[in-house]
């Protein structure tokens, strides 16, 4: 993704993310949201490597997977509090996100860092739903059921909300990403939104 494409991506503030159901890999489509709320053009296609040495997700410009324009990878192996480095097409770092393991025991909490802008911290808005999800996760075979609990993450910088990720209620994972701060690098927000699903159980 060249500078012109990145500039065009920055013009959008609402994205729709949905998971594709695949047996051996986790895949996600990222689309812009049209003004009427419908799904617009695809801006990213993400694929998570399963059983990799380190958690790794590659994001392509589309589902042909002909051009990888960014990705994120865990710094450490099997570390619940590991940071994930987000890199561009050339492998250069553009940001970092990590899960706050202690705070996530009650409500999942993540920190996203953008150079020059600081850290945005997001946690589940509805603590009651957060508890229900944890109870659901310990039910035998619950993960195999085609059901997704809804949740809503609000990310704050100080006392200002900068973006949110809302998981829709239903039988597959679907998300609405709403960006409030125009300074945020859309690539980082998309990476974090994909990570919320791909890495939530880690």
């Amino acid at each position: 993704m060249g500078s012109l494409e990145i500039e065009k991506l920055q013009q959008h503030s609402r994205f729709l993310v949905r998971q594709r159901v695949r047996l051996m890999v986790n895949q996600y489509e990222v689309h812009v949201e049209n003004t009427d709320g419908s799904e617009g053009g695809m801006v990213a296609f993400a694929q998570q490597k399963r059983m990799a040495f380190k958690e790794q997700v590659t994001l392509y410009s589309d589902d042909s997977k002909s051009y990888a324009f960014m990705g994120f990878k865990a710094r450490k192996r099997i570390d619940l509090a590991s940071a994930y480095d987000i890199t561009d097409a050339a492998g250069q770092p553009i940001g970092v996100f990590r899960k706050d393991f202690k705070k996530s025991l009650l409500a999942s909490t993540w920190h996203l860092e953008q150079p020059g802008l600081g850290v945005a911290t997001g946690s589940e808005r509805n603590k009651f739903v957060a508890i229900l999800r944890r109870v659901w996760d310990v039910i035998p075979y619950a993960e195999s059921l085609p059901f997704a609990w809804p949740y809503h993450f609000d990310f704050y910088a100080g006392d200002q909300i900068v973006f949110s990720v809302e998981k829709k209620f239903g039988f597959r994972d679907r998300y609405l990403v709403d960006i409030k701060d125009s300074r945020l690098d859309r690539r980082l927000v998309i990476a974090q939104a994909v990570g919320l699903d791909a890495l939530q159980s880690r």
Side-chain angles (χ1 to χ4, degrees), residues 175-187:
Y175 303 86
L176 169 64
V177 180
D178 186 12
I179 300 172
K180 308 291 188 183
D181 191 330
S182 61
R183 299 173 299 170
L184 281 172
D185 188 330
R186 274 41 175 177
R187 295 172 297 174

Side-chain angles (χ1 to χ4, degrees), residues 22 37 71 79 82 123 126 128 184:
R22 295 292 185 271
D79 185 348
S82 178
S123 62
N126 192 319
F128 178 69
L184 281 172

Side-chain angles (χ1 to χ4, degrees), residues 22-74:
R22 295 292 185 271
L23 182 62
M24 297 304 296
V25 295
N26 286 334
Q27 295 179 336
Y28 301 86
E29 295 181 12
V30 183
H31 296 256
V32 298
E33 185 190 56
N34 293 323
T35 54
D36 63 357
S38 62
E39 187 176 277
M42 182 184 295
V43 293
F45 178 77
Q47 181 164 306
Q48 178 187 26
K49 290 185 177 181
R50 291 188 178 176
M51 306 302 292
F53 180 72
K54 294 181 180 179
E55 290 286 1
Q56 181 177 353
V57 174
T58 303
L59 288 98
Y60 303 88
S61 56
D62 57 42
D63 57 1
S64 71
K65 298 189 289 185
S66 59
Y67 177 63
F69 73 94
M70 71 169 178
F72 59 84
K73 185 177 181 179

Side-chain angles (χ1 to χ4, degrees), residues 171-201:
F171 290 95
R172 64 174 181 173
D173 293 347
R174 298 182 300 121
Y175 303 86
L176 169 64
V177 180
D178 186 12
I179 300 172
K180 308 291 188 183
D181 191 330
S182 61
R183 299 173 299 170
L184 281 172
D185 188 330
R186 274 41 175 177
R187 295 172 297 174
L188 303 187
V189 176
I190 289 172
Q192 177 70 86
V194 171
L196 288 177
D197 185 276
L199 308 171
Q200 186 59 258
S201 62

